Amino acid sequence: MYKNYIKRLLDVVLSLIALIVLAIPMLIVAIIIKLDSPGPVIFKQERIGQHGKVYLMYKFRSMYVNSEHTGSGVYSGKNDSRVTRVGKIIRATSIDELPQLVNILKGDMSIIGFRSPLTYHPWTWDEYTDEQKKMFDVRPGLSGWAQIHGRKKVEWNERIALNVWYAENVSFLLDVKILLLTIVKVIKNEDNVSEGETVKK
């Protein structure tokens, strides 16, 4: 019952409250981004969601326009020249993720789930095994079981295995645990920088 109904209800209520409370701070961030570099405030990117459905994930733009497929590609390391001055700050504090509260309200995402992958990275939908596709039984989230076990430092096969475990063991107490540990990691800014390619076939 929690996985199918209560979890979604909590997502709607908590994301709505968060959007109301953070409305003014998010507006200020939007203005600063606009003043810092030309381009849209919100960055939209196709991601794979629940049951393999593709959706547009929202983030505050932290890179210069049209820089996603240049330089180091999907991997953005420490001193990435594609990241704006404001982008460095909002990435370090995870403020860039706040627009995903709208994704949660829309039903694309959950507060806790799995970090949804790109449609082409680490591989396409058809390349996931049946076992790996089990992670898509739940909605993607702002954070998840894999994120508190290494975030960007964990190789993708291991990351997916952690996500599958979560999908098979979803519970209210587990979500609370993940949320609390996520807050600690964000405050400490742990494992928040890609250190190189983390894909193994």
Side-chain angles (χ1 to χ4, degrees):
M1 184 168 178
Y2 171 74
K3 181 177 179 179
N4 295 322
Y5 301 105
I6 299 177
K7 183 174 172 68
R8 177 60 188 153
L9 177 61
L10 288 174
D11 283 339
V12 171
V13 172
L14 294 177
S15 61
L16 187 57
I17 291 173
L19 282 169
I20 293 171
V21 172
L22 297 172
I24 293 178
M26 288 175 70
L27 177 60
I28 293 172
V29 170
I31 293 171
I32 294 173
I33 290 172
K34 197 68 178 177
L35 292 174
D36 181 57
S37 64
V41 169
I42 301 297
F43 173 68
K44 301 176 183 179
Q45 189 176 55
E46 286 192 340
R47 298 287 183 118
I48 303 177
Q50 187 177 30
H51 306 314
K53 180 182 177 182
V54 175
Y55 73 100
L56 283 178
M57 174 190 275
Y58 307 136
K59 286 188 176 188
F60 279 127
R61 180 175 58 82
S62 59
M63 285 186 173
Y64 293 103
V65 176
N66 298 323
S67 61
E68 183 189 6
H69 297 293
T70 62
S72 54
V74 298
Y75 293 102
S76 181
K78 214 171 181 177
N79 304 319
D80 190 333
S81 61
R82 300 173 301 170
V83 179
T84 65
R85 290 171 298 176
V86 172
K88 292 175 183 177
I89 298 172
I90 62 176
R91 281 187 170 208
T93 54
S94 294
I95 289 173
D96 62 323
E97 309 282 357
L98 289 180
Q100 287 160 49
L101 289 167
V102 175
N103 284 122
I104 295 172
L105 201 57
K106 287 174 59 181
D108 299 326
M109 295 177 60
S110 177
I111 293 173
I112 304 298
F114 61 92
R115 289 302 288 161
S116 51
L118 296 165
T119 55
Y120 58 88
H121 180 85
W123 37 77
T124 64
W125 173 253
D126 292 337
E127 293 178 290
Y128 286 89
T129 66
D130 289 340
E131 177 65 20
Q132 291 174 330
K133 284 181 178 178
K134 289 179 181 178
M135 82 172 184
F136 297 99
D137 287 345
V138 296
R139 288 183 176 88
L142 278 173
S143 186
W145 190 239
Q147 277 57 53
I148 64 170
H149 286 84
R151 293 179 83 179
K152 297 180 180 179
K153 292 184 178 180
V154 181
E155 192 276 319
W156 267 99
N157 283 292
E158 182 181 348
R159 199 180 303 187
I160 292 171
L162 289 167
N163 289 331
V164 169
W165 184 90
Y166 170 78
E168 295 177 334
N169 293 275
V170 178
S171 71
F172 174 72
L173 290 179
L174 180 58
D175 279 359
V176 170
K177 178 181 179 179
I178 293 171
L179 180 60
L180 293 176
L181 290 174
T182 298
I183 292 171
V184 172
K185 278 189 172 288
V186 169
I187 292 173
K188 292 183 176 180
N189 193 28
E190 291 181 350
D191 310 324
N192 198 26
V193 177
S194 296
E195 297 190 341
E197 196 161 322
T198 55
V199 179
K200 294 178 182 177
K201 291 294 283 183

